[in-house]
């Protein structure tokens, strides 16, 4: 049965019950009221008339008027005959009154008239008693019927009250719960109601919706799984190791190359907390701790040494970091080429050194008068050749140094040295050059400086390089400051050396490249005969000794080159 019909029937039934209850009550109330009315009309009036007649008989004064009152009430009584036998008694009363009127002196008639009136009174009083009993009985019946229909109404309403709300609310509750399940992505949820009402239609629609959502989810899931597989395959087929982490550093994926170099099975990696695995895996530990740097990582895997650069890509969604991906670029090939080039340079430089030295010697001999006199033009040419061969020797020397550092063949004679020793070495080497430009040199060394652990020759070479650049890029009569002081250092105390000039300075856009090999600031001094190797070698020398190198410069204000070395504890 439809809910609408059920509600209509329920309300209709209640309505009918109310109508029945009201009808029964009205019927019996009417019956009771009629009974009372009848008593009043039929019997009470007769009692009143007879009482008036008896009262009229009692009055001795003004007989005429008493008789008139008697007659008036007699007429009323004659018109109010309601009971069986009342007509005869009233007629008898009328006849006797006629006798009285004919003979007013007959006192016996008075007495008889009184008796007749009492007889009528009694008849009516009996009738009142009888009718009252009937009314009482009617009232009882009314009470009984009203009570029965009331109880019936109560029982039916109570049954409706108990059943009807539950019949409506139970399916609604079930529907609410099912919708909640759908919201929680449980698309398998279905609704089944008994009967054929609107809730059943609702359940059908709900089930259809859930089924469609389920199918959509399944197809979407299949699509997502397919896409996931495709991305996994792409990542797995990439030549470079890739490892993905979530924002809590749990490993999300690692391609075959990554598992190969980490030497760990994929199942042991994926889904695990990376720092936990790093405890037993050196390479992963290195990957998690080292900075995003261009410095190549040497990794031994598959029976050979490979070089990688690490790149970390932060994954951000809706401005929230949701993880990161570590990419390792395999640069082994370039590294091998670089090494071949370095070896080649080293060989060439080494091979060139001897002929250049012999050219220098020959030039020296040429200048000797014993070999023969040279005219001024020839002398000029010899001077130029000497300068050029000196320059060539410097270049080959620098190239050799660089090759040594790059191949790791650098021989460091580390020893504890006073910083002042290195500074005075550099100052002496450049004193003449500085003098030529009338450059004022100011050396400021902090008192009681600790010694530094370094290779004196190479460190002095760096300071000389800084100093010679400062002289070269300073105008005449300028000032150069060399400072040396103690700093806290990241791990342990260090000593910092700085060379400050007040020359043209270096544009910030060129500064990051300044320590690269063969780099020279564009449009720099055309008379500069440098190679662009000095600062690159300086960097390698300092870093090989566990120090760091840096620069602070502003165009037009000058530059400060600096390096730090670990202090002796
Ligand atoms: P070079 O042999 O060319 O001097 P360096 O490696 O020593 O090679 O220097 C690289 C470049 O850095 C130089 O060519 C120059 O342009 C710039 N440079 C170095 N020092 C200074 C300085 N004190 N002031 C301005 N420019 C400098």
């Amino acid at each position: 049965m439809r809910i609408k019909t059920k509600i209509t029937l329920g309300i209709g039934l209640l309505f009918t019950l109310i109508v029945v209850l009201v009808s029964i009550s009205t019927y019996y109330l009417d019956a009771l009221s009629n009974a009372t009315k009848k008593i009043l009309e039929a019997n009470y009036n007769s009692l009143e008339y007879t009482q008036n007649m008896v009262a009229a008989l009692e009055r001795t004064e003004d007989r005429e008027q008493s008789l008139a009152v008697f007659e008036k009430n007699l007429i009323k009584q004659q018109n109010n005959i309601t009971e069986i036998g009342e007509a005869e008694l009233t007629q008898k009363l009328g006849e006797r009154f006629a006798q009285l009127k004919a003979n007013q002196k007959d006192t016996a008639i008075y007495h008889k008239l009184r008796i007749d009136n009492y007889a009528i009174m009694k008849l009516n009083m009996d009738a009142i008693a009888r009718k009252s009993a009937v009314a009482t009985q009617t009232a009882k019946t009314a009470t009984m019927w009203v009570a029965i229909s009331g109880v019936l109404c109560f029982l039916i309403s109570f049954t409706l009250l108990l059943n009807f709300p539950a019949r409506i609310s139970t399916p609604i509750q079930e529907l609410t719960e099912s919708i909640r399940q759908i919201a929680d992505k449980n698309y398998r949820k279905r609704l089944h109601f008994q009967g054929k009402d609107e809730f059943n239609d609702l359940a059908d629609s709900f089930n259809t919706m859930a089924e469609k959502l389920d199918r959509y989810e399944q197809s979407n899931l299949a699509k997502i799984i397919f896409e996931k597989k495709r991305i996994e395959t792409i990542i797995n087929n990439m030549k470079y190791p890739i490892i993905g982490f979530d924002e809590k550093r749990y490993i999300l994926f690692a391609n075959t190359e990554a598992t190969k170099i980490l030497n760990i099975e994929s199942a042991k990696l994926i889904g695990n907390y990376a720092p936990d695995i790093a405890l037993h895996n050196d390479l992963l530990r290195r990957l998690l701790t080292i900075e995003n740097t261009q410095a190549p990582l040497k990794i031994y895997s598959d029976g050979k040494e490979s070089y990688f650069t690490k790149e970390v890509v932060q994954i951000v969604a809706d401005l929230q970091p949701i993880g990161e991906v570590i990419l390792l670029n395999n640069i082994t090939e370039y590294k091998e080429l670089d090494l071949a080039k370095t070896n080649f340079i080293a060989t060439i430089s080494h091979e060139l050194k001897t002929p250049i030295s012999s050219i220098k010697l020959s030039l020296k001999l040429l200048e000797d008068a014993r070999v023969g006199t040279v005219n001024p033009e020839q002398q000029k040419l010899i001077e130029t050749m000497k300068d050029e061969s000196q320059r060539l020797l410097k270049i080959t020397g620098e190239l050799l140094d660089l090759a040594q550092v790059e191949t790791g063949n650098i021989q460091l004679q580390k020893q504890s040295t006073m910083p002042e020793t290195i500074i005075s070495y550099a100052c002496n080497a450049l004193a003449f050059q500085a003098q030529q430009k009338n450059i004022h040199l100011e050396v400021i060394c902090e008192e009681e400086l600790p010694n530094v652990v370094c290779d004196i020759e190479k460190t002095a070479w760096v300071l000389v390089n800084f100093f010679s650049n400062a002289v070269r890029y300073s105008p005449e009569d300028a000032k150069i400051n060399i400072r040396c002081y103690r700093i806290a250092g990241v791990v342990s105390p260090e000593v910092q050396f700085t060379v400050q000039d007040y020359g043209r300075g270096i544009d910030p856009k060129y500064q990051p490249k300044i320590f690269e090999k063969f780099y020279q600031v564009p449009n720099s001094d055309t008379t500069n005969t440098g190679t662009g190797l000095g600062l690159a070698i300086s960097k390698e020398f300092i870093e090989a000794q566990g120090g760091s190198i840096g620069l602070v410069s502003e165009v037009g204000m000058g530059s400060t080159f600096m390096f730090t070395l670990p202090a002796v504890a």
Side-chain angles (χ1 to χ4, degrees):
M1 200 193 289
R2 320 288 297 169
I3 294 186
K4 192 180 163 193
T5 322
K6 276 185 198 165
I7 294 176
T8 315
L9 280 179
I11 294 174
L13 187 64
L14 280 176
F15 183 73
T16 316
L17 287 173
I18 291 167
V19 169
V20 168
L21 201 62
V22 169
S23 304
I24 291 172
S25 308
T26 317
Y27 170 77
Y28 279 107
L29 279 174
D30 196 45
L32 280 172
S33 134
N34 273 344
T36 323
K37 205 168 148 196
K38 265 185 201 156
I39 292 171
L40 271 177
E41 274 180 5
N43 305 107
Y44 180 77
N45 288 349
S46 291
L47 283 177
E48 195 187 336
Y49 303 151
T50 47
Q51 263 174 4
N52 289 344
M53 282 189 272
V54 170
L57 287 178
E58 298 297 326
R59 283 172 60 184
T60 47
E61 75 278 9
D62 199 359
R63 258 294 140 209
E64 278 306 310
Q65 199 187 334
S66 300
L67 287 179
V69 170
F70 189 101
E71 192 168 13
K72 198 172 139 202
N73 280 287
L74 178 64
I75 293 164
K76 281 183 185 169
Q77 170 58 28
Q78 282 167 342
N79 291 326
N80 189 34
I81 307 295
T82 52
E83 305 302 322
I84 301 162
E86 195 177 4
E88 290 81 33
L89 287 173
T90 308
Q91 196 188 349
K92 206 169 144 195
L93 185 71
E95 283 166 5
R96 263 205 239 281
F97 181 64
Q99 284 173 12
L100 181 71
K101 272 208 313 195
N103 186 10
Q104 289 185 12
K105 301 266 190 255
D106 191 353
T107 49
I109 296 176
Y110 282 99
H111 180 66
K112 281 177 187 161
L113 276 172
R114 240 178 251 125
I115 290 170
D116 289 342
N117 265 318
Y118 288 144
I120 293 170
M121 261 186 218
K122 187 170 182 313
L123 187 75
N124 276 289
M125 277 167 73
D126 286 349
I128 285 174
R130 203 178 58 247
K131 284 178 186 173
S132 171
V134 170
T136 311
Q137 186 55 43
T138 311
K140 272 186 189 163
T141 317
T143 312
M144 185 189 76
W145 279 113
V146 169
I148 289 173
S149 48
V151 168
L152 265 177
C153 284
F154 173 78
L155 285 176
I156 293 169
S157 313
F158 193 67
T159 317
L160 278 177
L161 188 75
L162 281 186
N163 292 320
F164 208 63
R167 278 195 169 255
I168 299 203
S169 69
T170 310
I172 290 177
Q173 275 167 6
E174 271 184 52
L175 182 68
T176 312
E177 175 53 28
S178 306
I179 289 173
R180 210 169 282 147
Q181 298 247 1
I182 293 282
D184 287 344
K185 298 203 166 191
N186 176 12
Y187 301 126
R188 310 251 150 177
K189 181 74 193 162
R190 297 288 180 274
L191 272 179
H192 298 289
F193 294 136
Q194 306 275 311
K196 287 213 166 296
D197 54 21
E198 285 90 337
F199 282 121
N200 227 43
D201 297 348
L202 193 68
D204 286 347
S205 306
F206 176 88
N207 292 344
T208 315
M209 177 196 76
E211 204 172 307
K212 282 189 177 165
L213 279 173
D214 196 18
R215 245 182 280 147
Y216 177 74
E217 171 83 352
Q218 294 299 327
S219 68
N220 246 12
L221 207 67
K223 221 187 260 174
I224 291 167
I225 290 171
F226 176 75
E227 289 302 330
K228 187 173 172 270
K229 277 222 169 90
R230 187 174 16 213
I231 290 169
E232 275 173 4
T233 315
I234 292 172
I235 292 174
N236 264 336
N237 281 311
M238 284 184 82
K239 281 200 307 209
Y240 302 131
I242 302 174
I243 310 166
F245 305 88
D246 69 8
E247 71 283 10
K248 290 180 185 142
R249 305 218 100 181
Y250 279 85
I251 299 173
L252 294 175
F253 58 84
N255 69 352
T256 323
E257 285 299 316
T259 53
K260 216 193 279 176
I261 62 158
L262 286 171
N263 197 20
I264 187 167
E265 283 166 40
S266 155
K268 286 185 185 161
L269 272 180
I270 292 161
N272 287 313
Y273 185 50
D276 281 350
I277 298 174
L279 289 176
H280 314 287
N281 191 298
D282 289 347
L283 180 57
L284 188 61
R285 192 163 53 245
R286 271 164 71 200
L287 289 177
L288 293 178
T289 48
I290 59 162
E291 293 281 305
N292 213 4
T293 163
Q294 280 308 304
L297 271 165
K298 201 194 296 182
I299 295 170
Y300 191 82
S301 94
D302 242 8
K304 63 175 170 46
E305 266 179 3
S306 302
Y307 291 87
F308 294 89
T309 51
K310 177 188 154 190
E311 200 179 319
V312 179
V313 183
Q314 298 292 341
I315 314 294
V316 176
D318 297 331
L319 300 175
Q320 290 291 316
I322 56 162
E324 61 180 28
V325 173
I326 293 183
L327 294 163
L328 293 177
N329 292 316
N330 194 337
I331 54 157
T332 314
E333 223 173 278
Y334 305 105
K335 191 77 189 164
E336 281 167 0
L337 279 174
D338 197 43
L339 195 67
K341 178 212 74 189
T342 308
N343 285 337
F344 174 73
I345 290 173
T347 316
I348 295 282
S349 314
H350 190 262
E351 292 303 317
L352 283 177
K353 249 184 149 179
T354 324
I356 295 168
S357 300
S358 84
I359 290 171
K360 270 187 83 181
L361 190 68
S362 305
L363 287 169
K364 215 174 169 87
L365 286 174
L366 264 180
E367 279 179 322
D368 196 329
R370 284 172 292 177
V371 179
T373 47
V374 284
N375 62 30
E377 277 78 28
Q378 286 169 331
Q379 182 61 42
K380 242 182 170 177
L381 282 172
I382 291 170
E383 285 303 323
T384 317
M385 284 162 78
K386 265 171 73 182
D387 283 353
E388 292 302 319
S389 53
Q390 178 57 37
R391 193 168 159 241
L392 262 177
L393 206 62
K394 185 180 171 244
I395 293 172
T396 46
E398 283 182 351
L399 283 172
L400 245 180
D401 283 339
L402 190 72
Q404 270 184 352
V405 193
E406 284 189 346
T407 51
N409 292 334
I410 184 168
Q411 300 293 325
L412 292 172
Q413 313 289 331
K414 281 208 215 172
Q415 51 181 290
S416 174
T417 316
M418 280 166 58
E420 293 85 353
T421 317
I422 305 165
I423 289 175
S424 67
Y425 182 91
C427 291
N428 290 339
L430 268 293
F432 177 69
Q433 212 178 315
Q435 229 171 33
Q436 278 191 325
K437 280 181 100 173
N438 195 25
I439 281 174
H440 174 65
L441 180 67
E442 193 178 85
V443 180
I444 307 161
C445 277
E446 202 179 86
E447 278 178 22
E448 292 177 24
L449 273 174
N451 279 9
V452 287
V453 190
C454 69
D455 180 315
I456 306 179
E457 211 183 294
K458 300 214 163 32
T459 312
W461 189 97
V462 174
L463 204 59
V464 168
N465 187 56
F466 280 3
F467 194 12
S468 80
N469 278 345
V471 172
R472 190 184 303 159
Y473 299 108
S474 289
E476 293 207 354
D477 309 319
K479 194 172 114 176
I480 291 177
N481 296 328
I482 297 187
R483 290 197 184 88
C484 187
Y485 45 89
R486 180 206 313 250
I487 58 168
V490 185
V491 188
S492 53
E494 291 172 346
V495 175
Q496 186 160 58
F497 297 77
T498 64
V499 177
Q500 183 181 18
D501 67 61
Y502 297 90
R504 63 180 186 204
I506 300 166
D507 195 315
K509 67 180 175 205
Y510 302 127
Q511 289 179 19
K513 291 187 147 202
I514 209 86
F515 293 102
E516 284 180 14
K517 283 179 274 179
F518 304 108
Y519 187 78
Q520 290 183 305
V521 173
N523 301 325
S524 56
D525 194 357
T526 43
T527 59
N528 176 13
T529 52
T531 54
L533 281 173
L535 290 176
I537 296 170
S538 303
K539 185 171 184 279
E540 300 286 355
F541 278 175
I542 295 299
E543 286 178 356
Q545 298 182 77
S548 61
I549 200 161
L551 155 74
V552 177
S553 181
E554 208 178 313
V555 176
M557 305 297 285
S559 315
T560 305
F561 281 86
M562 61 199 83
F563 66 82
T564 56
L565 286 173
V568 175

